[in-house]
Amino acid sequence: MKTTIGDDGLPFLPLEEYLQLSLQEIDALRREVPVLRTTSNRVSILRDHDVRALMSHPGLVQIPGPEFCDFVGIPPGRCRTFLETFMLMTNGEDHKHRRGAFARVFAHPVLRQKRDQVRVVADRVIADLPRGAPFDFLALCASRLPAEMIAEVLGLNTEDSGWFAQHVYSLSKCLMLPFVGSEDIDEIEVSADALYEFVAATLEDRRTAPQDDMISMLVTDESDRALESEELIYQIMGLILGGSDTTRSGFNMIVARLLSDRSLWDEVKADRRLIPNAINEALRLEPPVAGVARYSVGPIDVAGVTLAAGQLVGLATMSAMRDETLITDPEVFDLHREDQPLPHVVFGAGAHRCLGEMLARLEMEEGLSALLDSAPDIELIEAPEMVGVLGLRKSTPMIARIP
């Protein structure tokens, strides 16, 4: 790994080389430079102080859907329309209106009341795990828990969760860099179409026969908060994706981290008050999201340099959470860490902070607690890896065994 100096005076490393870096190489790069150019119109911000300062900077907005699609090369189709419409990649009044439709349901006090409901789902999932033989924990536990829970929150049939989860994992490839490209775009489009038709049919059913659920509330809403039907479909698609994919990878890596050092597992088993600490540490060291993408609407001053308007600004939260100027021994998994900055930057910040943060935390907390209760002797056979340094990251399978 060797950077050069670009025409604008910034250290430069081609994006294709950056995407191949290990976490240790990113650590070394962060110590060397605070800002790195990776393309003619994209930079990465690597240090914690700068990342946090820019999270809510008025000169930066969430990268708009069209610009993101152009940057990664997503062609016209259902996937592109989804990305251009979902609240995550909108700003201003559009973002406020679309997010506002769901704000009450995803408010932290409301979700905290669902802890017992989350535990019921967790107990059911763990009771179904095989005993006495190796199994894929990612597929049979870490994937099921968030998919079934987001189904219950939205008012979808939990029996459909396995089906839509598979389509979610295909669709989520559009948010991974490097973008998979033409060889997988057909798969992504098929999944985008399938999810669209699934959500559209569910909305129509609720219009005809409303139930006591979130989707019925949304489709019968006649207030100023109400969304147009097409707009609502894409928001629910996004919530299904967000509620299924990142928690899946995150929970898989949390359990793997604890099982890879049995003393950590035993310590958490003995003192359940350490569960939130374990989750925070695992999300810091192996986050399911490597960073957030912003777009400069005007000149931005950062780390002694000025970035022009029209730049894609990657806030490398994964790098920031390993910044040794802020965190002592950042590569150490420490259940008693006291220098973990809060709020946790893995969930973003500002107007685009993760809407489902509380639900994700409840799922991971209750999932881990249920596993400690019902399968305390679970064994790690094959550890997973988290893959990716930009956008969404993917966990490989974890093979485990419950005696």
Side-chain angles (χ1 to χ4, degrees), residues 15 18-19 26 38 42 44 71 175-178 288-291 314-316 318 387-393:
L15 182 61
Y18 183 85
L19 292 170
I26 290 176
T38 57
R42 185 194 179 281
S44 283
F71 177 71
L175 294 171
M176 298 181 67
L177 293 176
V289 180
L315 304 180
M318 183 173 69
V387 180
V389 298
L390 287 181
L392 290 187
R393 307 177 75 209

Side-chain angles (χ1 to χ4, degrees), residues 281 284 326-329 334 336-342:
E281 270 293 83
R284 182 183 69 80
L326 180 77
I327 297 173
T328 303
D329 299 324
D334 185 354
H336 304 278
R337 185 173 294 283
E338 296 181 352
D339 56 359
Q340 166 75 59
L342 297 175

Side-chain angles (χ1 to χ4, degrees), residues 181-241:
S182 58
E183 64 273 17
D184 282 338
I185 191 61
D186 289 344
E187 174 193 342
I188 291 172
E189 280 295 299
V190 166
S191 289
D193 281 331
L195 287 169
Y196 179 91
E197 296 298 334
F198 170 71
V199 174
T202 302
L203 295 187
E204 188 56 36
D205 287 345
R206 296 300 195 277
R207 286 192 186 94
T208 304
Q211 300 178 17
D212 183 19
D213 59 35
M214 178 181 174
I215 289 180
S216 297
M217 180 186 71
L218 290 166
V219 297
T220 59
D221 189 358
E222 297 180 355
S223 72
D224 292 341
R225 293 187 304 270
L227 300 177
E228 296 292 334
S229 179
E230 187 86 351
E231 190 178 23
L232 180 57
I233 291 170
Y234 286 117
Q235 306 319 303
I236 293 175
M237 284 175 61
L239 291 176
I240 293 173
L241 188 156

Side-chain angles (χ1 to χ4, degrees), residues 9 14 116 213 249 365 376 380:
D116 290 344
D213 59 35
S249 296
E365 289 174 7
L380 177 64

